[in-house]
């Protein structure tokens, strides 16, 4: 990954925190350089139906072994962009060909109770496992912020149709190294940490426990846990468990320490390395 292009991308969106939209600036030369290096992009305009078609078409070129290898090779290198595609692949495999089918997603009201805004989503996508977010039209989607999030944290918009498309497109273009012995060792340590969880541990405790296992920030570990939950490695035995406090978990919300990890999912994705 070109260091200058990465710096241009990161400095557009982040300086000790998110840069406000109104204060984001980038020169034409910097954008062109980062674009030539494959780290920045022109905006995307597409539709739900086109996006879905392109995702399904890509699946013939992407295998379980490819996404698992990419994920595993990211553990010691912290190439978090390679980590993201594992969840996007799992999500893409849930998709079936269909046309956009609008259902009500939400409404906003003014102080008098009048509806000021109504939003819709694709009902077919919504009703798939975990609920995929599919809009009818996508106008000038900022792919650069999606790429920034992929590289910095491993992706934070898994489950959005446009992110699934972009993530898999980039993964297919990536030069994916073979996992090292260190990568395998880290994976084994992650699994051992999960297996050692106390029965009443919540996902937040697992995040803390992983701090000594893999070089990472808190946000990186949270995304790592969400990816493992998305693909079924962290699989809850029940979806009727209460939540505790405020949180932003999605796929791992109902996992508890007593669930440990799903050996079948581990074998499906990582069996050849373990």
């Amino acid at each position: 990954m070109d260091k200058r292009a990465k710096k241009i991308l990161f400095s557009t969106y982040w300086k000790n925190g998110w840069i406000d939209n109104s204060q984001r600036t980038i020169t034409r030369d910097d954008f062109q350089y980062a674009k030539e290096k494959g780290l920045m992009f022109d905006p995307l305009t597409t539709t739900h139906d086109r996006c879905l078609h392109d995702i399904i078409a890509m699946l013939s070129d992407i295998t379980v072994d490819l996404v698992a290898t990419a994920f595993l090779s990211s553990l010691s290198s912290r190439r978090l962009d390679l980590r993201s595609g594992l969840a996007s692949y799992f999500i893409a495999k849930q998709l079936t060909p269909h046309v956009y089918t609008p259902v009500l997603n939400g409404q906003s009201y003014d102080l008098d109770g009048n509806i000021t805004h109504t939003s819709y989503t694709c009902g077919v996508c919504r009703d798939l496992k975990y609920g995929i977010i599919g809009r009818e039209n996508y106008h000038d989607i900022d792919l650069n912020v999606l790429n920034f999030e992929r590289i910095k944290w491993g992706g934070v918009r898994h489950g959005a149709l446009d992110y699934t498309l972009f993530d898999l497109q980039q993964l297919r273009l990536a030069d994916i190294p073979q996992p090292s012995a260190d990568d395998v060792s880290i994976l084994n340590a992650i699994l051992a940490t999960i297996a050692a969880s106390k029965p009443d541990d919540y996902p937040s405790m697992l995040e803390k426990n992983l701090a000594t296992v893999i070089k990472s920030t808190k946000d990186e570990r949270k995304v790592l846990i969400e990816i493992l939950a998305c693909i079924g490695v962290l699989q809850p035995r029940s979806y009727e468990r209460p939540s505790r406090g405020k949180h932003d978990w999605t796929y791992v919300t109902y996992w508890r320490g007593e669930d440990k990890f799903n050996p079948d999912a581990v074998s499906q994705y990582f069996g050849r390395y373990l």
Side-chain angles (χ1 to χ4, degrees):
M1 185 179 298
D2 186 89
K3 291 183 178 180
R4 180 187 165 195
K6 180 180 177 181
K7 183 178 180 180
I8 292 169
L9 174 65
F10 273 48
S11 63
T12 302
Y13 295 98
W14 192 265
K15 184 177 181 180
N16 300 319
W18 284 103
I19 297 174
D20 187 82
N21 285 344
S22 63
Q23 297 179 342
R24 291 175 184 172
T25 60
I26 183 172
T27 67
R28 178 178 296 182
D29 287 346
D30 279 351
F31 173 73
Q32 191 60 36
Y33 181 87
K35 182 179 175 181
E36 290 174 356
K37 298 301 181 181
L39 290 189
M40 296 191 81
F41 310 86
D42 293 322
L44 171 70
T45 295
T46 188
T47 65
H48 165 279
D49 295 357
R50 182 76 238 177
C51 193
L52 180 67
H53 173 274
D54 291 347
I55 291 170
I56 293 174
M58 270 194 298
L59 290 178
S60 61
D61 297 328
I62 301 174
T63 64
V64 170
D65 185 59
L66 177 71
V67 293
T69 297
F71 175 90
L72 192 54
S73 69
S74 78
L75 297 181
S76 64
S77 67
R78 293 182 78 183
R79 276 289 306 275
L80 304 183
D81 54 310
L82 297 180
R83 193 173 298 176
S84 177
L86 182 58
S88 291
Y89 174 80
F90 179 91
I91 289 165
K93 293 291 285 185
Q94 314 307 309
L95 296 167
T96 56
H98 64 273
V99 297
Y100 178 76
T101 307
V103 294
L104 184 66
N105 186 48
Q107 293 179 320
S108 301
Y109 301 85
D110 62 21
L111 295 177
D112 296 323
N114 301 309
I115 297 173
T116 58
H117 177 72
T118 299
S119 63
Y120 297 88
T121 190
C122 177
V124 178
C125 291
R126 180 201 63 184
D127 293 341
L128 294 171
K129 186 173 183 180
Y130 298 129
I132 296 169
I133 303 168
R135 290 157 47 189
E136 182 176 13
N137 295 295
Y138 296 88
H139 296 291
D140 291 336
I141 299 300
D142 184 1
L143 299 180
N144 301 316
V145 72
L146 300 185
N147 204 34
F148 166 75
E149 292 168 351
R150 286 175 71 245
I151 296 170
K152 186 167 180 62
W153 296 299
V156 297
R157 307 193 198 201
H158 292 108
L161 204 62
D162 54 341
Y163 181 75
T164 303
L165 173 66
F166 176 72
D167 196 19
L168 293 181
Q169 286 174 332
Q170 295 309 302
L171 181 70
R172 193 169 60 166
L173 294 172
D175 182 14
I176 300 171
Q178 283 298 304
S180 66
D182 285 343
D183 292 318
V184 176
S185 177
I186 292 170
L187 178 61
N188 278 317
I190 290 171
L191 295 174
T193 301
I194 297 169
S197 297
K198 296 179 181 178
D200 59 349
D201 279 353
Y202 276 64
S204 56
M205 181 55 68
L206 177 59
E207 178 273 311
K208 292 182 177 67
N209 292 338
L210 289 176
T212 59
V213 171
I214 180 171
K215 188 176 181 181
S216 56
T217 66
K218 178 179 180 180
D219 288 332
E220 290 172 22
R221 292 191 296 276
K222 290 181 69 174
V223 173
L224 173 67
I225 289 170
E226 289 278 49
I227 292 172
L228 292 177
C230 180
I231 67 172
V233 170
L234 294 172
Q235 186 175 46
R237 297 177 188 174
S238 171
Y239 290 89
E240 301 298 327
R241 292 163 169 161
S243 296
R244 184 174 66 185
K246 293 183 179 180
H247 65 81
D248 56 359
W249 298 111
T250 300
Y251 304 113
V252 78
T253 299
Y254 298 101
W255 177 90
R256 300 293 180 266
E258 65 179 294
D259 301 325
K260 309 304 181 183
F261 62 81
N262 179 354
D264 292 336
V266 172
S267 178
Q268 176 185 358
Y269 290 100
F270 308 113
R272 63 172 289 197
Y273 295 106
L274 299 177

